[in-house]
Amino acid sequence: MSGGDGGAGGQVRARRADARRNEKALLDAAAAVFVASGVEAPVRDIAAEAGVGMGTIYRHFPTRADLVVAVYRHQIESCAEAGPALLASGPTPHAALGRWIDLFADFLVTKHGLAAVLRPDSAGFEALHASFLDRLVPVCAELLDAAVASGEIRERLSAYELLRAVGNLCIGDDQDPRYDARRAVRLLVAGLARPE
Amino acid sequence: MSGGDGGAGGQVRARRADARRNEKALLDAAAAVFVASGVEAPVRDIAAEAGVGMGTIYRHFPTRADLVVAVYRHQIESCAEAGPALLASGPTPHAALGRWIDLFADFLVTKHGLAAVLRPDSAGFEALHASFLDRLVPVCAELLDAAVASGEIRERLSAYELLRAVGNLCIGDDQDPRYDARRAVRLLVAGLARPE
DNA sequence: GACCAAGCGGAGCCCGGCTCCGATTGAGTC
DNA sequence: GACTCAATCGGAGCCGGGCTCCGCTTGGTC
């Protein structure tokens, strides 16, 4: 209520140098560990890799999901940016949607176990879910709308549902040579096309 | 090698009455707890509900997955049996496949969290995965083959892949009102149909 | 009624996420 | 350069969940 830090000229003290250094170290360490052991790697391992304590990790990233989000933020961003570009350059909106979904699926599949953790109920990963989907749902909706407008598909799935479905399909693609998530995803997108 | 229990007249001593009673109690308790709290309910809860100790549960069912398999065995069985029946009575093989997949999806969706645990890597649930899929893959393959033979679809997905894909799509259908797994599943099956 | 292996129960181990709090240290101040 | 203190650090420890271990109990048989 009474004033507080929001007050006039309230210059927030700059973060200490070691804090900045540690955050960088943590992001690098996490990225390395995720590649080596998958996204479900224990937090302790990441702390060890970065050479910091547990407390440090949890001050910078209140939850494991926040760390994951931070590590993949710019990749999500570039995926989001690719949407409009594909729409502009693609032959048809449905083709653009297919390519964009491929991009998304590639991203999920190449990060071991990321997809499995994208569900809203996945033991504390609501934050991850929300963060990723908030950014991507509008992009997907734009592509979907364009495809509907062009008459190529009938919209039986919302953008949210489509992304969740694709996310689900990508779960466990690694660890199981008999299952190819990308093929399933392509089939799903094909099913979107107007049948008659 | 040398004879062993398979030998002539090797009568195995019958299980004690209390053991049979406890197994029954455990199955009933597990079914109840799974309905109330989902398949991921703690083993301790099931033991408590059944009024037995942890040791008892783990002697009857060496792993949580074994308990889950036992609880749902007969439902899987009847799903498997429905396959040929649908094929015989359905208008076309693809329609029969669609109905059968609906049955399977219904089964997964109504058991809270079952789908999430069907993956081969899901922390010790390989047994569940194997048990369910062993029974259902041949049935699915039969339906798929018939649909391919009739020219309705081109087989771009193996029976195993299709079942995994459907299983994945069903993950987290409860807990998220914005996501309807059945719709996604129907779309996937539609995508199976020959496009041109 | 005595015997004993099958069966039981639950304390306790391990693992993984997360918290708590005393020790440490960067960076303004004099 | 010494001082101060809040920001930061580190890791012991809590909690919950799967699973194990082993001494106690008991059904069934002679």
Side-chain angles (χ1 to χ4, degrees):
Chain A
M1 281 273 157
S2 58
D5 55 4
Q11 180 70 24
V12 179
R13 185 186 287 268
R15 301 169 63 212
R16 271 166 43 171
D18 54 348
R20 244 172 299 125
R21 229 181 307 123
N22 273 328
E23 178 163 338
K24 176 78 167 59
L26 276 170
L27 285 173
D28 292 348
V33 171
F34 289 165
V35 167
S37 316
V39 176
E40 316 240 36
V43 176
R44 281 174 173 85
D45 291 0
I46 298 166
E49 171 80 20
V52 306
M54 296 290 298
T56 303
I57 244 186
Y58 278 97
R59 188 161 334 87
H60 287 286
F61 307 98
T63 207
R64 239 173 64 92
D66 294 317
L67 179 53
V68 176
V69 169
V71 167
Y72 293 123
R73 172 157 293 150
H74 46 294
Q75 296 194 44
I76 282 294
E77 188 54 37
S78 67
C79 178
E81 281 165 6
L86 282 170
L87 194 52
S89 72
T92 75
H94 183 256
L97 176 63
R99 292 232 191 94
W100 186 73
I101 293 284
D102 280 349
L103 238 48
F104 180 51
D106 264 358
F107 169 67
L108 290 181
V109 162
T110 52
K111 316 303 169 205
H112 317 298
L114 216 207
V117 120
L118 203 64
R119 308 176 277 138
D121 62 306
S122 182
F125 280 92
E126 297 80 10
L128 202 171
H129 181 77
S131 161
F132 279 26
L133 277 293
D134 279 0
R135 184 67 183 95
L136 296 181
V137 161
V139 177
C140 182
E142 189 184 336
L143 287 157
L144 219 38
D145 285 348
V148 169
S150 80
E152 287 181 286
I153 73 172
R154 48 168 136 194
E155 187 181 26
R156 290 153 98 188
L157 234 48
S158 67
Y160 176 79
E161 277 187 297
L162 179 55
L163 288 183
R164 268 224 59 186
V166 172
N168 273 6
L169 284 177
C170 289
I171 293 174
D173 174 276
D174 47 338
Q175 303 133 328
D176 189 350
R178 291 170 296 175
Y179 179 61
D180 181 348
R182 290 171 239 242
R183 224 184 315 170
V185 167
R186 242 170 275 133
L187 236 45
L188 181 71
V189 174
L192 224 42
R194 172 164 263 158
E196 49 239 299
Chain B
M1 285 276 154
S2 57
D5 56 4
Q11 180 70 22
V12 178
R13 186 188 285 271
R15 303 168 63 211
R16 268 166 45 170
D18 54 347
R20 245 173 298 125
R21 229 181 307 125
N22 272 328
E23 179 164 337
K24 177 77 167 59
L26 276 170
L27 284 173
D28 292 348
V33 170
F34 288 165
V35 167
S37 317
V39 176
E40 316 241 36
V43 177
R44 282 172 171 85
D45 290 0
I46 298 166
E49 171 79 20
V52 306
M54 296 289 298
T56 302
I57 244 186
Y58 278 97
R59 188 160 337 87
H60 287 286
F61 307 98
T63 206
R64 240 173 64 92
D66 294 316
L67 180 53
V68 176
V69 169
V71 167
Y72 292 123
R73 174 158 293 152
H74 46 293
Q75 297 195 44
I76 283 294
E77 189 53 36
S78 66
C79 178
E81 282 165 6
L86 282 170
L87 193 52
S89 72
T92 75
H94 183 257
L97 177 63
R99 292 230 191 96
W100 185 75
I101 292 284
D102 279 350
L103 238 47
F104 180 50
D106 264 358
F107 169 67
L108 290 180
V109 161
T110 52
K111 317 301 168 206
H112 318 297
L114 218 208
V117 120
L118 204 64
R119 307 177 278 136
D121 61 306
S122 183
F125 281 91
E126 297 80 10
L128 203 171
H129 181 76
S131 161
F132 279 26
L133 277 293
D134 278 0
R135 184 67 183 93
L136 295 181
V137 161
V139 176
C140 183
E142 188 184 336
L143 287 158
L144 219 38
D145 285 347
V148 168
S150 80
E152 287 181 286
I153 72 172
R154 48 168 136 195
E155 187 181 26
R156 290 152 98 188
L157 232 49
S158 68
Y160 176 79
E161 277 187 297
L162 179 53
L163 287 183
R164 268 224 61 185
V166 172
N168 272 6
L169 284 176
C170 289
I171 293 173
D173 173 277
D174 45 338
Q175 306 132 328
D176 190 349
R178 291 170 297 177
Y179 178 60
D180 181 349
R182 290 171 239 243
R183 226 187 309 174
V185 167
R186 243 170 274 134
L187 235 46
L188 180 71
V189 174
L192 224 40
R194 170 163 264 155
E196 50 239 296

